[in-house]
Amino acid sequence: MKNLISMRDLKPEEIYHLLSVTEKIEKGEIIPDMQRKLAALLFFEPSTRTMFSFDTAMKRMNGDTIIMSGTKNTSAKKGESFADTLQTIAQYSDIIIMRSPTEGAARFASEVVEIPIVNAGDGANQHPTQALLDLYSILKTQGTLKNLKIGLAGDLRFGRTIHSLTQAMSLFGAEFKFISPSFLQMPDYIKDDLTLQNVKFDEIREMNGNISDLDILYVTRIQKERFADPEDYEKVKGSYVLNRDMLSHVKDNFKVLHPLPRVDEINTDVDNTKYAYYFSQAKNGVYTRQAIISILLGEV
Ligand code: CP
């Protein structure tokens, strides 16, 4: 693995290797040493979890970071191209972790510089490091990645975490329920891929009454920032709210995941049920990102 750009680039054995390294890091069985290594975090969209968990991951391994948060106060404001910015940052750092509103930006970066590129989210396309921490969370809570029934609810159209996770779980025999308003349904290119792989999926509009057979319900925020027309957002906002009463008939192993941030799609009365896993999921992000950096830098 030279870069991490899309879940579609990873084979099941590479995913299992990464998850095994993640587990060993969490248990203290592997302690990667990133002394004298520097990660550049280039975030052209806001982030709390991804940026700070990568920063934490690097620092827990005795490495260091430089952070560009938006282009304000950088020479991009003087007209410097993205390619020149990347080539410059690559002179200072060992790995670039980048988030961009532009689909394909991370792939482009990987073609411009020699050091590893990690896609920390590119528009509505991919968020592979989130998918890997999601897989780690699923493995920890279910004991397996295989043959699980997974509901994905909310913004399936613009949700890059949804796209990456669906592609990843399709490698392990998952069956899906896609729960969304029609305006936010799963893109055709992903559904076509699933059909080609003989992966089963249903598309439904209602969350309530449709979760009792699931192992995992993955809830997402409706992404206001990706709507071209604010009126379209007004029509679908608040479409789904998971609350405690809706959990009365779920399976014992059932877990609710969410990449966060949430707005109103999971009521806070779910937080202290045994089914809520989203804050532990965020914690798993640090171990997973330690593993990603370590593997890409050849330290494990
Ligand atoms: N899950 C996730 O990508 O969160 P942030 O936008 O806060 O990084």
Side-chain angles (χ1 to χ4, degrees):
M1 210 164 78
K2 181 181 178 300
N3 304 293
L4 178 55
I5 308 296
S6 166
M7 283 313 290
R8 294 194 73 179
D9 299 337
L10 295 184
K11 298 183 183 73
E13 57 270 26
E14 291 172 308
I15 293 173
Y16 276 128
H17 174 62
L18 194 140
L19 299 183
S20 157
V21 172
T22 303
E23 185 184 12
K24 289 189 172 108
I25 288 173
E26 181 177 2
K27 289 182 172 167
E29 293 167 13
I30 296 180
I31 305 174
D33 186 6
M34 294 289 152
Q35 224 171 10
R36 290 185 296 281
K37 298 283 185 195
L38 194 141
L41 309 185
L42 310 186
F43 277 68
F44 303 106
E45 277 190 336
S47 170
T48 298
R49 275 144 295 273
T50 313
M51 190 171 80
F52 289 113
S53 64
F54 266 118
D55 195 30
T56 304
M58 202 60 191
K59 287 171 180 165
R60 282 207 184 149
M61 299 188 291
N62 299 318
D64 212 342
T65 56
I66 51 173
I67 298 180
M68 185 190 287
S69 206
T71 54
K72 192 167 170 258
N73 300 326
T74 74
S75 287
K77 290 289 176 210
K78 303 173 202 161
E80 184 167 46
S81 70
F82 182 45
D84 283 3
T85 302
L86 287 167
Q87 293 202 71
T88 304
I89 297 293
Q91 309 307 312
Y92 309 147
S93 53
D94 299 288
I95 184 167
I96 292 176
I97 295 151
M98 57 173 283
R99 170 171 288 188
S100 167
T102 308
E103 294 184 21
R107 182 81 66 196
F108 171 79
S110 72
E111 287 159 7
V112 170
V113 301
E114 294 296 321
I115 64 172
I117 296 287
V118 177
N119 183 3
D122 62 328
N125 185 32
Q126 284 277 320
H127 195 349
T129 72
Q130 178 70 46
L132 288 163
L133 79 88
D134 295 339
L135 293 183
Y136 187 57
S137 300
I138 292 170
L139 186 59
K140 271 176 82 172
T141 59
Q142 306 298 317
T144 181
L145 293 180
K146 287 188 183 154
N147 304 323
L148 297 171
K149 194 151 188 178
I150 301 190
L152 297 153
D155 188 346
L156 311 189
R157 176 176 177 177
F158 299 118
R160 57 193 174 201
T161 64
I162 289 278
H163 304 159
S164 293
L165 182 61
T166 302
Q167 288 169 337
M169 286 306 295
S170 71
L171 299 172
F172 301 102
E175 190 178 331
F176 297 105
K177 272 190 192 175
F178 297 145
I179 307 166
S180 76
S182 57
F183 185 74
L184 295 176
Q185 68 190 8
M186 189 67 92
D188 286 341
Y189 75 91
I190 293 186
K191 288 189 286 187
D192 291 347
D193 263 4
L194 296 179
T195 304
L196 274 176
Q197 297 172 72
N198 292 318
V199 174
K200 282 195 202 157
F201 65 89
D202 280 329
E203 292 189 281
I204 53 180
R205 302 281 167 248
E206 286 299 316
M207 183 193 282
N208 205 4
N210 276 315
I211 61 175
S212 60
D213 58 342
L214 298 178
D215 300 301
I216 296 285
L217 176 64
Y218 194 93
V219 185
T220 57
R221 175 179 67 95
I222 295 183
Q223 301 195 35
K224 185 178 183 182
E225 66 275 24
R226 309 238 181 264
F227 284 68
D229 183 347
E231 280 187 18
D232 287 334
Y233 174 71
E234 292 302 319
K235 284 179 205 155
V236 292
K237 77 171 189 190
S239 299
Y240 302 101
V241 181
L242 180 72
N243 63 45
R244 194 187 187 107
D245 292 342
M246 291 159 71
L247 300 172
S248 53
H249 294 105
V250 295
K251 289 167 68 173
D252 204 47
N253 63 313
F254 176 77
K255 289 285 179 266
V256 180
L257 271 61
H258 191 312
L260 304 177
R262 79 172 143 188
V263 181
D264 54 9
E265 57 280 356
I266 301 179
N267 196 307
T268 52
D269 68 2
V270 175
D271 293 2
N272 55 8
T273 69
K274 67 174 186 171
Y275 306 113
Y277 194 73
Y278 24 93
F279 291 111
S280 301
Q281 181 187 353
K283 184 174 182 183
N284 289 337
V286 176
Y287 309 124
T288 312
R289 287 170 172 135
Q290 282 181 270
I292 291 167
I293 294 168
S294 304
I295 290 170
L296 286 171
L297 293 182
E299 297 291 326
V300 292

